[in-house]
Structures are given as C-alpha cells and as structure tokens.
Amino acid sequence: MNRTLFAEHALLPDGWRRNVLLQWDEHGVLASVEADAAVPAPSAGIERAAGPLMPGMPNLHSHAFQRAMAGLTEFRALAVANDDFWSWRDLMYRFAARITPEGIGAVARWLYIEMLKAGYTSVCEFHYVHHAADGQRYANVAEMARHVVEAAGQTGIGITMLPVLYQYSGFGAQPPREDQRRFINTPDALLGLIDSLRGTHGEHAALRYGVAPHSLRAVSGESLRDVLAGLDAMLPRAPVHIHIAEQTAEVDACLATEGARPVQWLFDNFAVDARWCLVHATHVDAQETVALAKSGAVAGLCLTTEANLGDGVFPAHAYLALQGRIGIGSDSHIAVDWRSELRLLEYGQRLTRRQRNVLAAADEPFVADRLVGAALAGGALATGRAVGALRAGHRADWIVLDAEHPTIAGQDPRTWLSGVVFCEHGEMPVRDVFVGGVKVVDNRRHRDEDAARADYRAALDVLLDQA
Ligand code: NGQ
Ligand code: ZN
C-alpha cells in the first residue's frame, strides 16, 4: 500500500511547484510525484503537509565523536605560539583517545537527531576511531563503527558508513604516531572490517558503505590502489571519500616528497571521477580547479569547520563557473546546520572579492537557490544513495518548512530559500522532517530527543571527567 502526502508547495527538480501529490511505498521510496494535482477533498483522508516541502539535505562529511568537543578548543593555550589546525588536532587526538564504543554511540545518536532537526536527512560518516585506546583490536573489529551505524538506524537518518584507511603519519610512509594507534589498519584489515559490518548489519536503502582513505598523508599510492581494488571486488563503484589539500603544510609536504600538489598528484595517479568526494580541496591552483571540475568528482566543502580551523577559502566562484560539483558537510560539528554552511560559502566569496551575490549564475540569479540545488545534487552523489530530489525512485526524504516563520512569512516562493539560507532570526524555519516516508521530526521535535539527550549528557560526563 502506498502512502500519500499533499503539499501546496514543493521544491521539485524544476523549481517550486504548486499542489504536489507525493506517493511512496513501504520501503520509503517515492513511487510518484505529481505537480498541479487536484486538491484532495478533506473526506479523502489524505495528509496535508504543514508547509512548503523541500528535499532533505545530505551531510557529506561527519566525524561524529567530534560533536562532543565542539566549543572546547576556542581558547589559546599559553604555551602555543601559533594556535592552528595542527595544535587543534593534538587536542582532538586527546579526545579521540577517550571515546568508548558506548560513548560514540550516544554522541552519534544525539548528533544525528540534531542533524535531522536541522533538515539533514543523510550523513556520510568518515569513521576512523576503530580500535581500543591501547590500539588493541576489539573482539568485533567493527565494534566502534557498529555503534555509529546503530545510532543512525535508531534516529532514522540515512547513512553511508565510510570506514577510514589510516596507515601513516605523513608523506613518505612515515610510521604512525602513538596517538594515532586507534586509527591504524592495513587495506586488508579495513576491507575485513567493512565485510564484517555488512555481515552483521546488512545493506539497505538507508545504509550503504564506501571507503575513506584518510588523506594522502595517511595512505601510500600502493595502499590506496589496494583498498580500491578490494572495495571494487566487494562493492563495485561504492563511494570513495578522501581529505585533501586542507592545509598549506600538506601541499608543501606533498610537493617536497611527491613532486606535485596533492590534488594534482591524485589526478595523475588515479582515475578520479564521480564516485569520488574530495573533502575540503581548499588549496587548489587554477589547473587543479579545472581538473576537479571536469572530473565530475564532488568537492566536499565543510565551511563552518574550515573557518573554525583557519583552513583557507576554496575558490568557489571559479569552480562553480566551470560547473564543478559541490556538497556540504558539518565535519567537526562546530555547527550542525546546512544553512550556515551555504551562507558561509557565499560570504567567504563576498568578503574576499568585495562583491555581492558572487555565486549566482546566469541561469539562477538567486544565490541560495543555486547553492541549495548544487548541494542537494552533489551531496546525494557523495552518499551513493538515491536521495536529494523529490522524484520517483528516490527516497522519500524531505523537510517541511514553516511558511509563517517571520523570515519568509508573506513572501513569494521565489525568495523563500533566500530567507531560509541567509536570515538568522530565532528558531529554525524547519518544522517537520520525513526520512524514508517516516515523520521523524514533528513540529521541531524528534521522537527520541529526550532519551537521546540524557544519554548524550551521561556520555559527556564520562568523557569530560577524565580530561
Ligand atoms: C580529522 N579533520 O580526521 O578529523 C581531520 C583532522 C587530519 C579535519 N581535517 C585530522 N577537519 O586531517 O589529520
Ligand atoms: Zn574530516
């Protein structure tokens, strides 16, 4: 039996449409999406959306455990002359050393509820804390990952689990540091971890797998080739995500040891295409920008984290002009709101170019509409799942906006996304959220938020007590 919802306004692939009837099946997949439908009579018993519908946003980059340290590194330690990405990473590693399987489950469950309430309906989890604190394997090699996957299942968010391959501490196969021991695997061990997770938790419309070579600092060309070959034997064309060129020190080290910049090196050595997500790609030169755009790979931009860590500014204007694909991620979760990511994407360009509406295009003069469209399409591609559009065959994932929110009330649909993305006035204009056709957020509340919040609070006590 199909389920049905009627919406007076919905953002379809061709823009805002009136009187949209959506039908989906028992697996949570849209069976039909019809615009200009007859308005159903009240007696028909068809549910009406409480406001305008837009597709749920994919979050293409998350390290769930880092949610618990958001706000705890916003001070300069006196001993640190240059507080930067690398000093932050030392603090983050100290935190990563303390997280337990139950702890990561509780943190992820609360985080995913925050994501859902913000309108993120899919997440790509770049998961790298695999082993016990002393580096010993857990009896189940996927013990940490399974808690994250189960957290996603409990909250309802769709997940692409990307177990991370981490082997080295720097270019030239430098041995890992002591504080990286929880992350370390060979390509074979990592493929075994994915295989074991598939065995225990299966694979379905809300759960897919891929692989994440952590960065060119943490893998070698050979191990990257090995893990991709193994992945293809198991899950052909599954997504591949990699951190790249986030810091200039990485660019310099890559030039020194490999004789090429990181993105250039990757393109010279691998067939980078639409299955790839290059996370950050902040420091790309003009040639790399063209190569990335032409490849069809997704640039995984994590604007609030990149700003927080002082990474730099991605050349979004040039890249989007070349039709490059983008998606957005909340990464360290200093903010969990896709609107902040998109706003900062445009504002970085405004501040450096001293212009307005920089990321508008000839065929889409409204910046927010262009960026929402790009982040839905690119983000969906990065998940490897059929999401990101209200279209038959795609997951029934959408946000119901509050049309009476002061930020958009009384306006024409043409400016709704502008208000939603650029304005910050009080509570979010996200009212309800459906994932796989199930209403998991109802009038700004997630069905499990009280219990999840209490568990998160208890997990924090354990984590912070030992600090
Ligand atoms: C991470 N985060 O893996 O959590 C990284 C830091 C690194 C970001 N790059 C570690 N934002 O890149 O070595
Ligand atoms: Zn990251």
Side-chain angles (χ1 to χ4, degrees):
M1 236 276 282
N2 278 347
R3 293 205 44 197
T4 308
L5 182 79
F6 178 81
E8 237 176 275
H9 298 271
L11 186 63
L12 303 191
D14 56 352
W16 285 108
R17 300 294 302 269
R18 293 296 307 263
N19 297 341
V20 177
L21 194 67
L22 302 108
Q23 291 191 282
W24 63 97
D25 66 19
E26 70 274 23
H27 306 295
V29 176
L30 282 164
S32 68
V33 179
E34 187 195 344
D36 305 316
V39 180
S43 59
I46 290 176
E47 185 180 345
R48 275 174 170 254
L53 252 58
M54 63 176 282
M57 183 61 71
N59 186 339
L60 60 58
H61 194 65
S62 163
H63 307 291
F65 75 92
Q66 291 177 16
R67 170 64 186 88
M69 60 179 283
L72 297 181
T73 63
E74 307 303 319
F75 61 95
R76 179 176 297 189
L78 287 176
V80 180
N82 268 320
D83 208 342
D84 63 9
F85 175 87
W86 306 103
S87 53
W88 168 82
R89 193 178 75 158
D90 287 341
L91 289 177
M92 185 270 282
Y93 279 0
R94 281 170 34 198
F95 208 77
R98 292 198 302 267
I99 192 94
T100 61
E102 293 70 29
I104 204 171
V107 173
R109 191 152 79 107
W110 173 247
L111 169 67
Y112 294 160
I113 287 175
E114 289 181 329
M115 285 189 194
L116 287 164
K117 290 176 69 169
Y120 282 124
T121 48
S122 298
V123 62
C124 299
E125 187 61 38
F126 200 107
H127 172 77
Y128 62 89
V129 185
H130 298 301
H131 312 309
D134 60 1
Q136 289 291 311
R137 272 62 189 149
Y138 289 106
N140 170 0
V141 290
E143 183 65 8
M144 294 290 279
R146 86 162 171 94
H147 276 84
V148 175
V149 163
E150 288 165 15
Q154 287 161 10
T155 63
I157 199 166
I159 187 169
T160 305
M161 170 45 82
L162 305 162
V164 171
L165 179 63
Y166 206 112
Q167 291 179 285
Y168 307 114
S169 66
F171 288 96
Q174 292 170 47
R177 295 168 26 163
E178 184 83 342
D179 53 7
Q180 294 170 331
R181 66 192 161 199
R182 300 193 73 176
F183 319 156
I184 306 303
N185 280 295
T186 60
D188 274 351
L190 190 82
L191 293 163
L193 190 157
I194 298 173
D195 202 39
S196 142
L197 255 186
R198 289 176 67 213
T200 50
H201 291 69
E203 238 167 306
H204 47 81
L207 171 62
R208 289 277 183 260
Y209 305 94
V211 84
H214 181 275
S215 53
L216 295 181
R217 291 175 269 127
V219 300
S220 64
E222 193 189 340
S223 63
L224 183 47
R225 244 179 296 281
D226 288 349
V227 83
L228 293 179
L231 182 70
D232 268 335
M234 192 156 64
L235 297 165
R237 305 257 335 136
V240 180
H241 291 218
I242 186 168
H243 290 128
I244 199 156
E246 180 181 10
Q247 286 285 319
T248 52
E250 173 180 326
V251 178
D252 296 344
C254 192
L255 270 166
T257 55
E258 311 293 335
R261 300 168 60 85
V263 171
Q264 189 63 54
W265 185 89
L266 190 68
F267 278 88
D268 288 346
N269 289 277
F270 290 87
V272 178
D273 61 14
R275 85 184 290 195
W276 288 75
C277 177
L278 273 56
V279 182
H280 309 303
T282 312
H283 299 287
V284 280
D285 66 15
Q287 204 178 319
E288 291 173 307
T289 305
V290 172
L292 182 51
K294 284 207 171 129
S295 72
V298 180
L301 307 178
C302 306
L303 292 300
T304 58
T305 293
E306 289 157 7
N308 186 267
L309 299 181
D311 288 344
V313 180
F314 176 77
H317 177 256
Y319 180 73
L320 287 179
L322 292 159
Q323 314 298 328
R325 286 184 168 133
I326 60 159
I328 50 157
S330 59
D331 192 349
S332 70
H333 314 300
I334 188 68
V336 181
D337 188 344
W338 54 272
R339 305 172 311 143
S340 306
E341 305 301 334
L342 296 181
R343 192 185 310 132
L344 201 45
L345 178 57
E346 167 69 15
Y347 282 173
Q349 300 295 303
R350 290 192 191 187
L351 289 165
T352 49
R353 302 171 68 91
R354 288 180 257 163
Q355 289 171 349
R356 299 194 70 247
N357 297 316
V358 177
L359 299 178
D363 60 349
E364 182 49 271
F366 287 80
V367 176
D369 295 69
R370 183 176 193 216
L371 295 183
V372 165
L376 286 171
L381 191 60
T383 69
R385 302 171 49 245
V387 296
L390 300 179
R391 175 189 279 157
H394 283 55
R395 291 274 291 167
D397 294 354
W398 57 77
I399 298 169
V400 181
L401 296 171
D402 176 359
E404 286 306 316
H405 191 284
T407 253
I408 56 173
Q411 298 180 12
D412 182 86
R414 198 68 188 98
T415 54
W416 281 347
L417 290 181
S418 305
V420 166
V421 170
F422 286 103
C423 299
E424 291 179 89
H425 305 109
E427 63 185 1
M428 277 187 231
V430 173
R431 188 187 188 281
D432 304 330
V433 179
F434 287 65
V435 190
V438 177
K439 194 192 280 185
V440 296
V441 174
D442 187 359
N443 202 7
R444 296 187 170 83
R445 281 190 62 80
H446 184 279
R447 55 188 182 190
D448 295 334
E449 74 175 75
D450 293 336
R453 189 181 179 132
D455 290 350
Y456 175 63
R457 189 67 187 73
L460 278 181
D461 280 343
V462 174
L463 270 167
L464 302 182
D465 216 37
Q466 303 166 25

